[in-house]
Amino acid sequence: MNNSSTRAAWALAAGGVFAAFSAQGASTFDSTINRLFIASVAVNGSSYQNVSANISSYTLLGVDNGTPSSDTFNPSNNLLTLGSVVFQGATYNNVRVQLNSFTLLAATLMATPPVASTPTTPTTPTTPTTPTTPTTPATPGGTLTAANTCSLPNFKTDLMTLINQARASSRTCGNTVYPAVAAVAWNDQLFNAAAGHSADMANQNYFSHTSLDGRSAGQRITAAGYSWSAYGENIAAGQSSASLVMAGWMASAGHCSNIMTSNFRDVAVACVSNSSSAYNRYWTMALGR
């Protein structure tokens, strides 16, 4: 596709939404001055807000109406993904653009919430050495409540969609290429382990894979009743939505590797909020087989 036809297609998809920018937070492109505006974009694990740039040359790669992803930019190949664009009352999701030539005009670097990952463990299950209960345990039976989903709507559906969309395509995590792998299924026992750890971090105001009582992720998962041959855990703090936490995890080699590991068959994610804690929202993803 040459640049002139691309320019017309991009203007059709995004050119008329500048007026909606402030109200809806959508990325906008003013085709009259070739000016791009992005409310927030992730770049190599960092977050930039109030971004504006002049786009001299670009190639529109695709638009779909799937679940919106976060706005991301990969400087290694100048690939920009805009999660949601509004045009004449319609919403276009996941607009992918190759930026051939551009000038960055403004951007504000935001503090990046912390993330951490645990690699897959050995194949032999272990017994918890400290089988104490977290300070604020999850509701038994894997029940999703406002307290263990940060009151986010469609929590389970959105997370499972994002996770399995990621696994459905080949991904490069750091320097390792992972092929597409089978979908994982939600597991209530893993959810109890994840919710318990998120609650413990939120209420005890710490951020670590090791509980304050000394337990590891494997011990927490075993205590929740999940008999595993392999497990993994991703944690994050501060992100306000499922799409943002997934974007952060997928941008990190360790987290991405956990999500793309073919050995895992089950997954669950929890989020617990405490306004008195350092990062407010604490996320835990537990994976297992």
Coordinates of all heavy atoms in Angstrom, one line a residue, residues 120-217:
T120 N 9.0 -20.4 35.6 CA 8.3 -21.7 35.9 C 9.2 -22.5 36.9 O 10.4 -22.5 36.8 CB 8.2 -22.5 34.6 OG1 7.5 -21.7 33.6 CG2 7.5 -23.8 34.8
T121 N 8.5 -23.2 37.8 CA 9.2 -23.9 38.9 C 9.5 -25.3 38.5 O 9.0 -25.8 37.4 CB 8.3 -23.9 40.1 OG1 7.1 -24.7 39.8 CG2 8.0 -22.6 40.6
P122 N 10.3 -26.1 39.3 CA 10.5 -27.5 39.0 C 9.2 -28.3 38.9 O 8.1 -27.8 39.4 CB 11.4 -28.0 40.2 CG 12.0 -26.7 40.6 CD 11.0 -25.6 40.4
T123 N 9.2 -29.5 38.4 CA 8.0 -30.3 38.1 C 7.5 -31.0 39.3 O 6.4 -31.6 39.2 CB 8.3 -31.2 36.9 OG1 9.4 -32.1 37.3 CG2 8.7 -30.5 35.7
T124 N 8.2 -31.0 40.4 CA 7.7 -31.8 41.6 C 7.0 -30.9 42.5 O 7.6 -29.9 43.0 CB 8.9 -32.5 42.3 OG1 9.6 -33.3 41.3 CG2 8.4 -33.3 43.5
P125 N 5.7 -31.1 42.9 CA 5.0 -30.2 43.8 C 5.7 -30.2 45.2 O 6.4 -31.2 45.6 CB 3.6 -30.9 43.9 CG 3.5 -31.6 42.6 CD 4.9 -32.2 42.3
T126 N 5.5 -29.1 45.9 CA 6.1 -29.0 47.2 C 5.0 -28.8 48.2 O 3.9 -28.4 47.9 CB 7.1 -27.9 47.3 OG1 6.4 -26.7 47.0 CG2 8.3 -28.1 46.4
T127 N 5.2 -29.0 49.5 CA 4.3 -28.7 50.5 C 4.6 -27.4 51.2 O 5.8 -27.2 51.5 CB 4.3 -29.9 51.6 OG1 4.0 -31.1 50.9 CG2 3.3 -29.6 52.7
P128 N 3.7 -26.6 51.5 CA 4.0 -25.3 52.1 C 4.7 -25.5 53.4 O 4.3 -26.3 54.2 CB 2.7 -24.6 52.3 CG 1.8 -25.3 51.3 CD 2.3 -26.7 51.2
T129 N 5.8 -24.8 53.7 CA 6.5 -24.9 54.9 C 5.9 -24.0 56.0 O 6.1 -24.2 57.2 CB 8.0 -24.5 54.7 OG1 8.0 -23.1 54.2 CG2 8.7 -25.4 53.8
T130 N 5.1 -23.0 55.5 CA 4.5 -22.1 56.5 C 3.0 -22.0 56.1 O 2.6 -21.0 55.4 CB 5.1 -20.7 56.5 OG1 6.5 -20.9 56.6 CG2 4.6 -19.9 57.7
P131 N 2.2 -22.9 56.4 CA 0.8 -22.9 55.9 C -0.2 -22.0 56.6 O -1.2 -22.4 57.0 CB 0.4 -24.4 56.1 CG 1.1 -24.8 57.4 CD 2.4 -24.1 57.3
T132 N 0.3 -20.8 56.8 CA -0.6 -19.8 57.4 C -1.5 -19.1 56.4 O -1.1 -19.1 55.2 CB 0.2 -18.7 58.2 OG1 1.1 -18.1 57.2 CG2 1.0 -19.4 59.3
T133 N -2.6 -18.5 56.8 CA -3.5 -17.9 55.9 C -3.1 -16.4 55.7 O -2.7 -15.8 56.7 CB -4.9 -18.0 56.5 OG1 -5.2 -19.3 56.7 CG2 -5.9 -17.4 55.6
P134 N -3.2 -15.9 54.5 CA -2.9 -14.5 54.3 C -3.8 -13.6 55.2 O -4.9 -14.0 55.6 CB -3.3 -14.3 52.8 CG -3.1 -15.6 52.2 CD -3.5 -16.6 53.2
T135 N -3.4 -12.4 55.4 CA -4.1 -11.5 56.3 C -5.6 -11.3 55.8 O -6.5 -11.3 56.6 CB -3.4 -10.1 56.3 OG1 -2.1 -10.3 56.8 CG2 -4.1 -9.2 57.3
T136 N -5.8 -11.1 54.5 CA -7.1 -11.0 54.0 C -7.3 -12.1 52.9 O -6.9 -11.9 51.7 CB -7.3 -9.6 53.3 OG1 -7.0 -8.6 54.3 CG2 -8.7 -9.4 52.9
P137 N -7.8 -13.2 53.3 CA -7.9 -14.3 52.3 C -9.0 -14.0 51.2 O -9.9 -13.2 51.4 CB -8.4 -15.5 53.2 CG -9.1 -14.9 54.3 CD -8.4 -13.6 54.6
A138 N -8.8 -14.7 50.1 CA -9.8 -14.6 49.0 C -11.1 -15.3 49.4 O -11.1 -16.2 50.3 CB -9.3 -15.2 47.7
T139 N -12.2 -14.9 48.8 CA -13.4 -15.6 49.1 C -13.3 -17.1 48.6 O -12.9 -17.3 47.5 CB -14.6 -14.9 48.3 OG1 -14.6 -13.6 48.8 CG2 -15.9 -15.6 48.6
P140 N -13.7 -18.1 49.4 CA -13.5 -19.5 49.0 C -14.3 -19.8 47.7 O -15.3 -19.2 47.4 CB -14.1 -20.2 50.2 CG -14.0 -19.3 51.3 CD -14.2 -17.9 50.8
G141 N -13.8 -20.7 46.9 CA -14.5 -21.2 45.7 C -14.3 -20.4 44.5 O -14.9 -20.6 43.5
G142 N -13.3 -19.5 44.5 CA -13.0 -18.7 43.3 C -14.0 -17.7 43.0 O -14.2 -17.3 41.8
T143 N -14.8 -17.2 44.0 CA -15.8 -16.2 43.7 C -15.2 -14.8 43.4 O -14.5 -14.3 44.2 CB -16.8 -16.1 44.9 OG1 -17.3 -17.4 45.2 CG2 -17.9 -15.1 44.6
L144 N -15.6 -14.2 42.3 CA -15.1 -12.9 42.0 C -16.0 -11.9 42.6 O -17.2 -11.9 42.4 CB -15.1 -12.7 40.4 CG -13.8 -13.2 39.7 CD1 -13.9 -14.8 39.6 CD2 -13.7 -12.6 38.3
T145 N -15.4 -11.0 43.3 CA -16.1 -9.9 44.0 C -15.5 -8.6 43.6 O -14.4 -8.5 43.1 CB -16.1 -10.1 45.5 OG1 -14.8 -9.9 46.0 CG2 -16.6 -11.4 45.9
A146 N -16.1 -7.5 44.0 CA -15.6 -6.1 43.8 C -14.2 -6.0 44.5 O -13.3 -5.4 44.0 CB -16.5 -5.0 44.3
A147 N -14.1 -6.7 45.6 CA -12.9 -6.5 46.4 C -11.7 -7.2 45.8 O -10.5 -6.7 45.9 CB -13.1 -7.1 47.8
N148 N -11.9 -8.3 45.1 CA -10.7 -9.0 44.5 C -10.6 -8.8 43.0 O -9.8 -9.5 42.3 CB -10.7 -10.5 44.8 CG -12.0 -11.2 44.5 OD1 -12.6 -10.9 43.5 ND2 -12.4 -12.2 45.3
T149 N -11.4 -7.8 42.4 CA -11.3 -7.5 41.0 C -11.1 -6.0 40.9 O -11.3 -5.4 39.8 CB -12.5 -7.9 40.2 OG1 -13.7 -7.3 40.7 CG2 -12.7 -9.5 40.3
C150 N -10.8 -5.3 41.9 CA -10.6 -3.8 41.9 C -11.9 -3.1 41.4 O -11.8 -2.0 40.8 CB -9.4 -3.4 41.1 SG -7.8 -3.8 42.0
S151 N -13.0 -3.8 41.5 CA -14.3 -3.2 41.1 C -14.4 -3.0 39.6 O -15.2 -2.1 39.1 CB -14.7 -1.9 41.9 OG -14.8 -2.2 43.2
L152 N -13.5 -3.6 38.8 CA -13.5 -3.4 37.4 C -14.6 -4.3 36.7 O -14.7 -5.5 37.0 CB -12.1 -3.8 36.8 CG -11.0 -2.9 37.3 CD1 -9.6 -3.5 36.8 CD2 -11.1 -1.5 36.8
P153 N -15.4 -3.7 35.8 CA -16.4 -4.5 35.2 C -15.8 -5.5 34.2 O -14.7 -5.3 33.6 CB -17.2 -3.5 34.4 CG -16.3 -2.3 34.2 CD -15.4 -2.3 35.4
N154 N -16.5 -6.6 34.0 CA -16.1 -7.6 33.0 C -14.7 -8.1 33.2 O -13.9 -8.4 32.3 CB -16.2 -7.1 31.5 CG -17.6 -6.6 31.2 OD1 -18.6 -7.2 31.5 ND2 -17.7 -5.4 30.6
F155 N -14.3 -8.2 34.5 CA -12.9 -8.5 34.9 C -12.4 -9.8 34.3 O -11.4 -9.8 33.5 CB -12.8 -8.5 36.4 CG -11.4 -8.7 36.9 CD1 -10.6 -7.6 37.1 CD2 -10.9 -9.9 37.2 CE1 -9.3 -7.8 37.6 CE2 -9.6 -10.1 37.7 CZ -8.8 -9.0 37.9
K156 N -13.1 -10.9 34.6 CA -12.7 -12.2 34.1 C -12.7 -12.3 32.6 O -11.7 -12.8 32.0 CB -13.5 -13.3 34.8 CG -13.2 -14.7 34.3 CD -14.1 -15.7 35.0 CE -13.9 -17.1 34.5 NZ -14.8 -18.1 35.2
T157 N -13.8 -11.8 32.0 CA -13.9 -11.9 30.5 C -12.8 -11.1 29.8 O -12.2 -11.6 28.9 CB -15.3 -11.4 30.1 OG1 -16.3 -12.2 30.7 CG2 -15.4 -11.4 28.6
D158 N -12.5 -9.9 30.3 CA -11.5 -9.1 29.7 C -10.1 -9.7 29.8 O -9.4 -9.8 28.8 CB -11.5 -7.7 30.3 CG -12.7 -6.9 29.8 OD1 -13.5 -7.3 28.9 OD2 -12.9 -5.8 30.4
L159 N -9.8 -10.2 31.0 CA -8.5 -10.8 31.2 C -8.3 -12.1 30.4 O -7.3 -12.2 29.7 CB -8.3 -11.1 32.7 CG -7.5 -10.1 33.6 CD1 -6.1 -9.9 33.0 CD2 -8.3 -8.8 33.7
M160 N -9.3 -12.9 30.3 CA -9.2 -14.2 29.6 C -9.1 -13.8 28.1 O -8.3 -14.5 27.3 CB -10.4 -15.1 29.8 CG -10.4 -15.7 31.2 SD -8.8 -16.6 31.6 CE -8.9 -17.9 30.4
T161 N -9.8 -12.8 27.6 CA -9.7 -12.4 26.2 C -8.3 -12.0 25.9 O -7.7 -12.4 24.9 CB -10.7 -11.4 25.9 OG1 -12.0 -11.9 26.1 CG2 -10.6 -10.9 24.4
L162 N -7.7 -11.1 26.7 CA -6.4 -10.5 26.5 C -5.3 -11.6 26.6 O -4.4 -11.6 25.7 CB -6.1 -9.4 27.5 CG -7.0 -8.1 27.3 CD1 -6.8 -7.3 28.5 CD2 -6.5 -7.4 26.1
I163 N -5.4 -12.5 27.5 CA -4.4 -13.5 27.7 C -4.4 -14.5 26.5 O -3.4 -14.8 25.9 CB -4.7 -14.3 29.0 CG1 -4.4 -13.4 30.2 CG2 -3.8 -15.6 29.1 CD1 -4.9 -14.0 31.5
N164 N -5.6 -15.0 26.1 CA -5.7 -15.9 25.0 C -5.5 -15.3 23.7 O -5.0 -16.0 22.7 CB -7.0 -16.7 25.1 CG -6.9 -17.7 26.2 OD1 -5.9 -18.4 26.5 ND2 -8.1 -17.9 26.9
Q165 N -5.8 -14.0 23.5 CA -5.4 -13.3 22.3 C -3.9 -13.3 22.2 O -3.3 -13.4 21.1 CB -6.0 -11.9 22.3 CG -7.4 -11.8 21.8 CD -7.9 -10.4 21.8 OE1 -7.3 -9.5 22.3 NE2 -9.1 -10.2 21.1
A166 N -3.2 -13.0 23.3 CA -1.7 -13.0 23.3 C -1.2 -14.3 22.9 O -0.2 -14.5 22.1 CB -1.2 -12.5 24.6
R167 N -1.7 -15.4 23.5 CA -1.2 -16.8 23.2 C -1.5 -17.3 21.8 O -0.9 -18.2 21.3 CB -1.8 -17.7 24.3 CG -1.2 -17.5 25.7 CD -1.9 -18.4 26.7 NE -1.8 -19.8 26.5 CZ -0.8 -20.6 27.0 NH1 0.2 -20.0 27.8 NH2 -0.7 -21.9 26.8
A168 N -2.5 -16.6 21.2 CA -2.9 -17.1 19.9 C -2.0 -16.7 18.7 O -2.1 -17.2 17.6 CB -4.3 -16.6 19.6
S169 N -1.0 -15.8 19.0 CA -0.1 -15.4 18.0 C 1.4 -15.6 18.5 O 1.6 -15.5 19.7 CB -0.3 -13.9 17.7 OG -1.6 -13.6 17.3
S170 N 2.3 -15.7 17.5 CA 3.7 -15.8 17.9 C 4.1 -14.5 18.5 O 3.7 -13.4 18.1 CB 4.5 -16.1 16.6 OG 5.9 -16.0 16.9
R171 N 5.0 -14.6 19.6 CA 5.4 -13.4 20.3 C 6.9 -13.5 20.5 O 7.5 -14.6 20.7 CB 4.7 -13.3 21.7 CG 3.2 -13.3 21.6 CD 2.7 -11.9 21.3 NE 1.3 -11.9 21.1 CZ 0.5 -10.8 21.0 NH1 1.1 -9.6 21.2 NH2 -0.8 -10.9 20.8
T172 N 7.6 -12.4 20.6 CA 9.0 -12.3 21.0 C 9.0 -11.7 22.4 O 8.6 -10.6 22.6 CB 9.8 -11.4 20.0 OG1 9.7 -12.0 18.7 CG2 11.3 -11.4 20.4
C173 N 9.5 -12.5 23.3 CA 9.7 -12.1 24.7 C 11.1 -11.9 25.0 O 11.9 -12.9 25.1 CB 9.1 -13.1 25.7 SG 7.3 -13.5 25.3
G174 N 11.6 -10.6 25.1 CA 13.0 -10.4 25.2 C 13.7 -10.8 23.9 O 13.4 -10.3 22.8
N175 N 14.6 -11.8 24.0 CA 15.3 -12.3 22.8 C 14.8 -13.7 22.4 O 15.3 -14.3 21.5 CB 16.8 -12.4 23.1 CG 17.4 -11.0 23.3 OD1 17.1 -10.1 22.7 ND2 18.3 -11.0 24.3
T176 N 13.7 -14.1 23.0 CA 13.1 -15.5 22.7 C 11.8 -15.4 21.9 O 10.9 -14.6 22.3 CB 12.9 -16.2 24.0 OG1 14.1 -16.3 24.8 CG2 12.4 -17.7 23.7
V177 N 11.7 -16.1 20.8 CA 10.5 -16.2 20.0 C 9.7 -17.3 20.5 O 10.2 -18.5 20.6 CB 10.8 -16.3 18.5 CG1 9.6 -16.4 17.7 CG2 11.7 -15.1 18.0
Y178 N 8.4 -17.0 20.8 CA 7.5 -18.1 21.3 C 6.4 -18.3 20.2 O 5.8 -17.3 19.8 CB 6.8 -17.7 22.6 CG 7.7 -17.8 23.8 CD1 8.6 -16.7 24.1 CD2 7.7 -18.9 24.6 CE1 9.4 -16.8 25.2 CE2 8.5 -18.9 25.8 CZ 9.4 -17.9 26.0 OH 10.2 -18.0 27.1
P179 N 6.2 -19.5 19.8 CA 5.1 -19.7 18.8 C 3.7 -19.6 19.5 O 3.6 -19.5 20.7 CB 5.3 -21.2 18.4 CG 6.0 -21.8 19.6 CD 6.9 -20.7 20.2
A180 N 2.7 -19.5 18.6 CA 1.4 -19.5 19.2 C 1.1 -20.7 19.9 O 1.6 -21.8 19.6 CB 0.4 -19.3 18.0
V181 N 0.4 -20.6 21.0 CA 0.1 -21.8 21.9 C -1.4 -21.9 22.2 O -2.1 -20.9 22.0 CB 0.9 -21.7 23.2 CG1 2.4 -21.9 22.9 CG2 0.7 -20.4 23.9
A182 N -1.8 -23.0 22.7 CA -3.2 -23.3 23.0 C -3.7 -22.3 24.1 O -2.9 -21.8 24.9 CB -3.4 -24.7 23.5
A183 N -5.0 -22.0 24.1 CA -5.6 -21.2 25.1 C -5.5 -21.8 26.5 O -5.5 -23.1 26.6 CB -7.1 -20.9 24.7
V184 N -5.5 -21.0 27.5 CA -5.6 -21.5 28.9 C -7.0 -21.3 29.4 O -7.8 -20.5 28.8 CB -4.6 -20.7 29.8 CG1 -3.1 -21.2 29.5 CG2 -4.7 -19.2 29.6
A185 N -7.3 -22.0 30.4 CA -8.6 -21.9 31.0 C -8.5 -21.3 32.4 O -7.5 -21.4 33.1 CB -9.2 -23.3 31.1
W186 N -9.6 -20.6 32.8 CA -9.7 -20.0 34.2 C -9.8 -21.1 35.2 O -10.5 -22.1 35.0 CB -10.9 -19.1 34.2 CG -11.0 -18.3 35.5 CD1 -11.6 -18.7 36.7 CD2 -10.5 -17.0 35.8 NE1 -11.5 -17.8 37.6 CE2 -10.9 -16.7 37.1 CE3 -9.8 -16.1 35.1 CZ2 -10.5 -15.5 37.7 CZ3 -9.5 -14.8 35.6 CH2 -9.8 -14.6 37.0
N187 N -9.1 -20.9 36.3 CA -9.1 -21.9 37.4 C -9.4 -21.3 38.7 O -8.7 -20.3 39.1 CB -7.8 -22.7 37.4 CG -7.7 -23.7 38.5 OD1 -7.5 -23.5 39.7 ND2 -8.0 -25.0 38.1
D188 N -10.4 -21.7 39.4 CA -10.8 -21.1 40.6 C -9.8 -21.2 41.7 O -9.7 -20.3 42.6 CB -12.2 -21.7 41.1 CG -13.3 -21.2 40.3 OD1 -13.2 -20.3 39.5 OD2 -14.4 -21.9 40.3
Q189 N -9.1 -22.3 41.8 CA -8.1 -22.5 42.9 C -6.9 -21.5 42.6 O -6.4 -20.9 43.6 CB -7.6 -23.9 42.9 CG -8.7 -24.9 43.3 CD -8.3 -26.4 43.1 OE1 -7.7 -26.7 42.1 NE2 -8.7 -27.3 44.0
L190 N -6.5 -21.4 41.4 CA -5.5 -20.4 41.1 C -6.0 -19.0 41.4 O -5.2 -18.1 41.9 CB -5.0 -20.5 39.7 CG -4.2 -21.7 39.2 CD1 -3.9 -21.7 37.8 CD2 -3.0 -21.9 40.1
F191 N -7.3 -18.7 41.2 CA -7.8 -17.4 41.5 C -7.7 -17.2 43.0 O -7.4 -16.1 43.5 CB -9.2 -17.3 41.0 CG -9.8 -15.9 41.4 CD1 -9.5 -14.8 40.7 CD2 -10.7 -15.8 42.4 CE1 -10.0 -13.6 41.0 CE2 -11.3 -14.6 42.8 CZ -10.9 -13.4 42.1
N192 N -8.0 -18.2 43.8 CA -7.9 -18.0 45.3 C -6.5 -17.7 45.7 O -6.3 -16.8 46.6 CB -8.4 -19.2 46.0 CG -10.0 -19.3 46.0 OD1 -10.6 -18.3 45.8 ND2 -10.5 -20.5 46.3
A193 N -5.5 -18.4 45.1 CA -4.1 -18.1 45.4 C -3.8 -16.7 45.0 O -3.1 -15.9 45.8 CB -3.2 -19.1 44.7
A194 N -4.2 -16.3 43.8 CA -3.8 -14.9 43.3 C -4.5 -13.8 44.1 O -3.9 -12.8 44.5 CB -4.3 -14.8 41.8
A195 N -5.8 -14.0 44.4 CA -6.5 -13.0 45.2 C -6.0 -12.9 46.6 O -5.9 -11.8 47.2 CB -8.0 -13.4 45.3
G196 N -5.6 -14.0 47.2 CA -5.0 -14.0 48.5 C -3.7 -13.2 48.6 O -3.4 -12.4 49.5
H197 N -2.9 -13.4 47.5 CA -1.6 -12.7 47.5 C -1.8 -11.2 47.2 O -1.1 -10.3 47.8 CB -0.6 -13.3 46.5 CG 0.8 -12.8 46.6 ND1 1.5 -12.7 47.8 CD2 1.6 -12.3 45.6 CE1 2.7 -12.2 47.5 NE2 2.8 -11.9 46.2
S198 N -2.7 -10.9 46.3 CA -2.9 -9.4 46.0 C -3.5 -8.7 47.3 O -3.1 -7.6 47.6 CB -3.9 -9.3 44.9 OG -3.3 -9.6 43.6
A199 N -4.4 -9.4 48.0 CA -4.9 -8.8 49.2 C -3.9 -8.6 50.3 O -3.8 -7.6 50.9 CB -6.0 -9.7 49.7
D200 N -3.0 -9.6 50.4 CA -1.9 -9.5 51.3 C -1.0 -8.3 51.0 O -0.6 -7.6 51.9 CB -1.1 -10.8 51.4 CG -0.3 -11.0 52.7 OD1 -0.8 -10.7 53.7 OD2 0.8 -11.5 52.6
M201 N -0.6 -8.2 49.7 CA 0.3 -7.1 49.3 C -0.4 -5.8 49.6 O 0.2 -4.8 50.1 CB 0.7 -7.2 47.9 CG 1.7 -8.4 47.6 SD 2.4 -8.3 45.9 CE 0.9 -8.6 44.9
A202 N -1.7 -5.7 49.2 CA -2.4 -4.4 49.3 C -2.6 -4.0 50.8 O -2.4 -2.8 51.1 CB -3.8 -4.5 48.6
N203 N -2.9 -4.9 51.6 CA -3.2 -4.6 53.0 C -2.0 -4.5 53.9 O -2.0 -3.9 54.9 CB -4.2 -5.6 53.6 CG -5.6 -5.4 52.9 OD1 -6.1 -4.4 52.8 ND2 -6.1 -6.5 52.4
Q204 N -0.9 -5.2 53.5 CA 0.4 -5.1 54.2 C 1.4 -4.2 53.6 O 2.5 -4.0 54.1 CB 1.0 -6.5 54.3 CG 0.2 -7.6 55.0 CD 0.0 -7.3 56.5 OE1 0.9 -6.7 57.1 NE2 -1.1 -7.6 57.1
N205 N 1.0 -3.6 52.5 CA 1.8 -2.5 51.8 C 3.2 -3.0 51.5 O 4.2 -2.4 51.9 CB 1.8 -1.2 52.7 CG 2.3 0.0 51.9 OD1 2.3 0.0 50.6 ND2 2.8 1.0 52.6
Y206 N 3.3 -4.1 50.7 CA 4.6 -4.5 50.1 C 4.3 -5.0 48.7 O 3.2 -5.2 48.3 CB 5.2 -5.6 51.0 CG 4.5 -7.0 51.0 CD1 5.0 -8.0 50.1 CD2 3.4 -7.2 51.7 CE1 4.4 -9.2 50.1 CE2 2.7 -8.5 51.7 CZ 3.2 -9.5 50.8 OH 2.6 -10.7 50.8
F207 N 5.4 -5.3 48.0 CA 5.4 -5.7 46.6 C 6.5 -6.8 46.4 O 7.6 -6.4 46.3 CB 5.5 -4.6 45.7 CG 5.4 -5.0 44.2 CD1 4.2 -5.3 43.7 CD2 6.5 -5.0 43.4 CE1 4.0 -5.6 42.3 CE2 6.4 -5.4 42.1 CZ 5.2 -5.7 41.5
S208 N 6.1 -8.0 46.4 CA 7.1 -9.1 46.3 C 6.4 -10.4 46.0 O 5.2 -10.6 46.3 CB 7.8 -9.3 47.6 OG 8.7 -10.4 47.6
H209 N 7.1 -11.3 45.4 CA 6.6 -12.7 45.2 C 6.6 -13.5 46.5 O 5.9 -14.5 46.6 CB 7.4 -13.4 44.1 CG 7.2 -12.9 42.7 ND1 6.0 -13.2 42.0 CD2 8.0 -12.2 41.9 CE1 6.1 -12.7 40.8 NE2 7.2 -12.1 40.7
T210 N 7.4 -13.1 47.4 CA 7.5 -13.8 48.7 C 6.6 -13.1 49.7 O 6.7 -11.9 50.0 CB 9.0 -13.7 49.2 OG1 9.8 -14.3 48.3 CG2 9.1 -14.5 50.5
S211 N 5.7 -13.8 50.2 CA 4.7 -13.3 51.3 C 5.5 -12.8 52.5 O 6.6 -13.3 52.8 CB 3.7 -14.3 51.6 OG 2.9 -14.7 50.5
L212 N 5.0 -12.0 53.3 CA 5.6 -11.5 54.5 C 5.8 -12.7 55.5 O 6.7 -12.7 56.4 CB 4.8 -10.4 55.2 CG 4.8 -9.1 54.4 CD1 4.1 -8.0 55.3 CD2 6.2 -8.6 54.0
D213 N 5.0 -13.8 55.4 CA 5.1 -14.9 56.2 C 6.2 -15.9 55.6 O 6.4 -17.0 56.1 CB 3.8 -15.6 56.5 CG 3.1 -16.1 55.2 OD1 3.8 -16.2 54.1 OD2 1.9 -16.4 55.2
G214 N 6.8 -15.5 54.5 CA 7.9 -16.3 53.9 C 7.5 -17.3 52.8 O 8.3 -18.0 52.3
R215 N 6.2 -17.4 52.5 CA 5.8 -18.3 51.5 C 6.1 -17.9 50.1 O 6.0 -16.7 49.8 CB 4.3 -18.6 51.6 CG 3.9 -19.3 52.9 CD 2.4 -19.6 52.9 NE 1.6 -18.3 52.8 CZ 0.3 -18.3 52.4 NH1 -0.3 -19.5 52.1 NH2 -0.3 -17.2 52.3
S216 N 6.3 -18.9 49.2 CA 6.6 -18.6 47.8 C 5.2 -18.7 47.0 O 4.2 -19.2 47.6 CB 7.6 -19.6 47.2 OG 7.0 -20.9 47.3
A217 N 5.3 -18.4 45.8 CA 4.1 -18.6 44.9 C 3.6 -20.0 44.9 O 2.4 -20.3 45.0 CB 4.4 -18.1 43.5

